[in-house]
């Protein structure tokens, strides 16, 4: 089985976010980067499937050289080789087009990625890749098993989950509890240094979206404590101030 795992290089969830150039560029200064948490789940399940069924895992990142430490970490966790599309990903369509181009050349049986990245949170790349390749795509997948040429999986839906089956190849966007994150051991870290990392140039893609500017979310307001015997006051505030009722 050939598995392609797509990973993102994203700011740590504890990073302080700011922008430059009149709020048109993300300020990378001093920011610690990590593998996207949902991508980590996809990678962990891929490693488990490889250990159970055999096969190979290729890690794919659409990004610049600053992504290499995260790619090497993925190799240390258990991937066999890696590909990096050398570019600054512009939007979901651009990223999906790069993934689809690599997937077409590689003839992969299973394409895994996180249900969304934690920087832009678009949550549409997996479905775009599936459409571009003409194969099924599902998300968010929280359980996955492979039996022969069939994938059996469960995905979260509003109010519960549904159990599905689909033939390979297919694209899946993953989330917890599909697997537990894996921490690379010393042997994995050492062998990752010699595993192949191929850098390729991006395919040409029409620009469908342009960035206007970034804005930070509004700061959190002060917390108001309402006595337990003043339910009417609480309901009034939820309607007039919080506007959630």
């Amino acid at each position: 089985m050939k598995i392609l795992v797509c990973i993102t290089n994203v700011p740590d969830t504890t990073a302080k976010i700011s922008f430059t150039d009149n709020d048109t560029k993300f300020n990378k200064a001093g920011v610690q980067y990590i593998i996207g948490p949902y991508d980590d789940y996809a990678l962990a399940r891929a490693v488990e499937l490889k250990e159970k069924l055999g096969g190979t895992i290729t890690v794919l990142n659409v990004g610049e050289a600053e992504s290499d430490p995260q790619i090497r970490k993925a190799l240390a966790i258990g991937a066999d080789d890696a590909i990096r599309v050398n570019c600054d990903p512009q939007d979901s369509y651009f990223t999906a087009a790069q993934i689809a181009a690599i997937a077409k050349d590689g003839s992969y049986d299973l394409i895994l990625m996180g249900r969304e990245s934690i920087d832009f949170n678009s949550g549409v790349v997996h479905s775009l890749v599936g459409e571009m390749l003409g194969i099924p795509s599902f998300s968010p997948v929280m359980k996955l098993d492979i039996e022969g040429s069939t994938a059996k999986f469960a995905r979260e839906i509003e109010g519960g989950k549904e159990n599905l089956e689909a033939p390979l190849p297919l694209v899946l966007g993953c989330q917890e509890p599909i697997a537990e994150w894996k921490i690379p051991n010393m042997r994995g870290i050492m062998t990752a240094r010699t595993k192949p990392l191929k850098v390729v140039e991006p395919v040409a893609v029409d620009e469908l979206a342009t960035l206007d500017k970034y804005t930070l979310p509004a700061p959190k307001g002060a917390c108001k404590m309402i006595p337990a015997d003043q339910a009417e006051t609480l309901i009034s505030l939820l309607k007039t101030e919080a506007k959630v009722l």
Side-chain angles (χ1 to χ4, degrees):
M1 174 180 290
K2 294 181 65 177
I3 304 175
L4 181 67
V5 179
C6 307
I7 65 171
T8 52
N9 181 49
V10 297
D12 190 288
T13 53
T14 61
K16 185 177 181 180
I17 303 302
S18 62
F19 307 109
T20 61
D21 293 357
N22 197 29
D23 293 335
T24 59
K25 290 184 179 179
F26 174 66
N27 184 8
K28 299 180 180 180
V31 174
Q32 179 72 33
Y33 283 83
I34 60 173
I35 297 175
Y38 295 116
D39 305 326
D40 251 336
Y41 288 118
L43 176 61
R45 187 56 185 149
V47 171
E48 292 173 350
L49 290 172
K50 174 188 169 183
E51 292 172 348
K52 179 181 179 181
L53 304 172
T56 60
I57 300 172
T58 298
V59 167
L60 171 61
N61 171 260
V62 180
E64 299 176 308
E66 62 194 22
S67 299
D68 287 354
Q70 272 48 261
I71 296 174
R72 288 295 176 190
K73 179 181 178 182
L75 292 170
I77 288 173
D80 299 284
D81 64 300
I83 301 171
R84 178 169 62 82
V85 181
N86 187 36
C87 61
D88 180 17
Q90 302 300 312
D91 55 35
S92 296
Y93 183 82
F94 177 89
T95 301
Q98 307 309 318
I99 294 172
I102 296 297
K104 285 178 181 177
D105 289 339
S107 299
Y108 296 95
D109 301 296
L110 183 62
I111 303 172
L112 300 179
M113 62 186 73
R115 74 175 194 186
E116 63 184 1
S117 65
I118 64 166
D119 48 6
F120 290 97
N121 301 94
S122 71
V124 299
V125 171
H126 36 73
S127 57
L128 288 172
V129 171
E131 176 66 22
M132 292 174 181
L133 295 175
I135 60 177
S137 65
F138 300 90
S139 181
V141 173
M142 50 199 299
K143 181 180 179 181
L144 171 64
D145 290 296
I146 304 296
E147 296 184 7
S149 60
T150 301
K152 296 185 176 182
F153 53 95
R155 70 171 179 173
E156 186 177 19
I157 59 175
E158 186 174 356
K161 67 177 182 179
E162 60 180 2
N163 297 310
L164 301 166
E165 294 184 11
L168 300 176
L170 77 167
V171 184
L172 300 178
C174 305
Q175 69 169 38
E176 74 284 358
I178 194 170
E180 293 187 4
W181 288 340
K182 297 186 180 298
I183 300 174
N185 56 33
M186 184 55 66
R187 181 181 179 183
I189 293 171
M190 297 300 291
T191 57
R193 299 177 181 178
T194 59
K195 290 181 178 179
L197 167 53
K198 182 180 179 181
V199 179
V200 300
E201 294 305 309
V203 296
V205 178
D206 291 336
E207 187 177 87
L208 302 182
T210 56
L211 172 68
D212 183 16
K213 65 183 299 184
Y214 293 105
T215 57
L216 291 171
K220 292 183 179 180
C223 179
K224 292 185 177 181
M225 303 299 294
I226 309 299
D229 60 351
Q230 297 184 18
E232 291 185 1
T233 301
L234 174 60
I235 294 172
S236 177
L237 290 172
L238 290 174
K239 289 182 177 179
T240 59
E241 292 191 12
K243 299 186 185 302
V244 295
L245 294 179

